Amino acid sequence: METSWASESLAEFIRKEVPDWDDEVKATARFKAFSGQSSDWEPQFRFWRDLIIKIANHFGCFILSPLELEMHKVGDIVRVTDLGHPYSGRLSQFFRKVVHFTSSLRSLTPKAVLTNHLILLTVLKDKAAEVVKALSESQWTPSCIMTMRKFEALFVTHDEASAVLSYLSGCGKAQYISSKKKELIEGVKLSLTSAAVSGVTSLDCDILQLIWTMEKLQQQLDVIDQ
């Protein structure tokens, strides 16, 4: 899967979504800085928020460079650091913030947001659901175990894989697995149903080891066949 961000394609998509995009008068109003009471700039904010989410959905991208602080304040986007670490085994800070919408979201400074890449929450949720659905269609068990290499192959970048894994871990739908005998083997245990994923067992680690060995043998066979 490849993400297309060619400027021409992006421009075409924006003009399709916003027919009056090239209108100079309206463009001046749209690019005007937010100021005054929220009621004064809320329609403008909603326009940019909806357009950004549409673009991200269309081009399959949910990790962005810093864009709108206010979107972060209202919970439409979160910082990469808010997601927590998927390998820590703890409930992510991100999930708690999304569920409870704590007031701490509104106390963040522009500098704190601008030092992070940002995650579009709605698109992240959709991507996570898409991955789980695709895996469930190829499995007959309520959960599955896969190597980290296979999991990351489902995404365009490592950052996207990490963000989705953090989200699923925070929801109780995924757990990081590691096994170290001769070398470190990393993997993921995912719930493919509405239920939370069960705890990692020694059998899960053995299964991960077996899957990793099979993948490594297949890689060697592929090299021989070339």
Side-chain angles (χ1 to χ4, degrees):
M1 182 174 105
E2 294 184 357
T3 303
S4 173
W5 281 94
S7 58
E8 183 178 358
S9 298
L10 178 59
E12 290 175 355
F13 178 78
I14 291 176
R15 288 187 174 91
K16 180 180 177 182
E17 292 296 319
V18 188
D20 59 1
W21 179 256
D22 294 317
D23 185 299
E24 292 187 9
V25 176
K26 292 185 177 180
T28 300
R30 289 187 185 120
F31 283 95
K32 184 180 178 181
F34 294 163
S35 61
Q37 299 296 320
S38 61
S39 57
D40 297 332
W41 49 257
E42 190 171 356
Q44 181 187 358
F45 162 71
R46 288 180 177 176
F47 167 83
W48 285 113
R49 179 194 62 188
D50 294 345
L51 181 59
I52 290 169
I53 291 175
K54 285 179 181 178
I55 292 171
N57 272 313
H58 181 76
F59 289 97
C61 177
F62 56 84
I63 299 181
L64 306 174
S65 296
L67 291 171
E68 292 287 355
L69 174 61
E70 192 64 28
M71 287 180 69
H72 181 274
K73 287 183 177 179
V74 300
D76 293 308
I77 57 179
V78 293
R79 300 173 301 170
V80 168
T81 51
D82 288 335
L83 287 171
H85 201 288
Y87 312 147
S88 64
R90 62 182 173 78
L91 183 65
S92 70
Q93 299 171 19
F94 151 74
F95 188 61
R96 290 197 296 269
K97 287 179 180 178
V98 171
V99 171
H100 300 294
F101 286 98
T102 62
S103 59
S104 61
L105 283 173
R106 293 187 175 276
S107 65
L108 292 164
T109 63
K111 182 178 180 181
V113 174
L114 294 176
T115 54
N116 288 268
H117 280 81
L118 304 175
I119 306 287
L120 281 168
L121 181 55
T122 57
V123 186
L124 172 62
K125 288 181 177 180
D126 289 344
K127 182 60 179 180
E130 176 188 320
V131 168
V132 172
K133 183 175 184 294
L135 291 172
S136 66
E137 291 174 348
S138 61
Q139 303 282 335
W140 55 273
T141 55
S143 64
C144 73
I145 294 173
M146 59 199 309
T147 61
M148 192 62 69
R149 175 178 171 273
K150 279 291 186 181
F151 181 77
E152 291 186 349
L154 300 172
F155 304 89
V156 177
T157 67
H158 167 80
D159 287 343
E160 289 186 0
S162 181
V164 170
L165 181 55
S166 293
Y167 172 73
L168 290 173
S169 298
C171 294
K173 300 277 289 181
Q175 284 207 40
Y176 168 75
I177 307 176
S178 66
S179 174
K180 188 172 184 180
K181 293 183 179 179
K182 291 184 177 180
E183 57 184 297
L184 177 65
I185 301 173
E186 297 178 296
V188 183
K189 183 176 183 180
L190 291 165
S191 170
L192 304 180
T193 67
S194 58
V197 68
S198 58
V200 175
T201 65
S202 58
L203 177 59
D204 292 332
C205 294
D206 291 339
I207 293 174
L208 175 64
Q209 177 83 40
L210 178 60
I211 294 172
W212 178 85
T213 301
M214 292 173 60
E215 289 180 6
K216 192 169 185 179
L217 288 173
Q218 185 60 55
Q219 291 173 23
Q220 293 173 348
L221 289 173
D222 292 342
V223 171
I224 293 173
D225 290 341
Q226 289 179 356

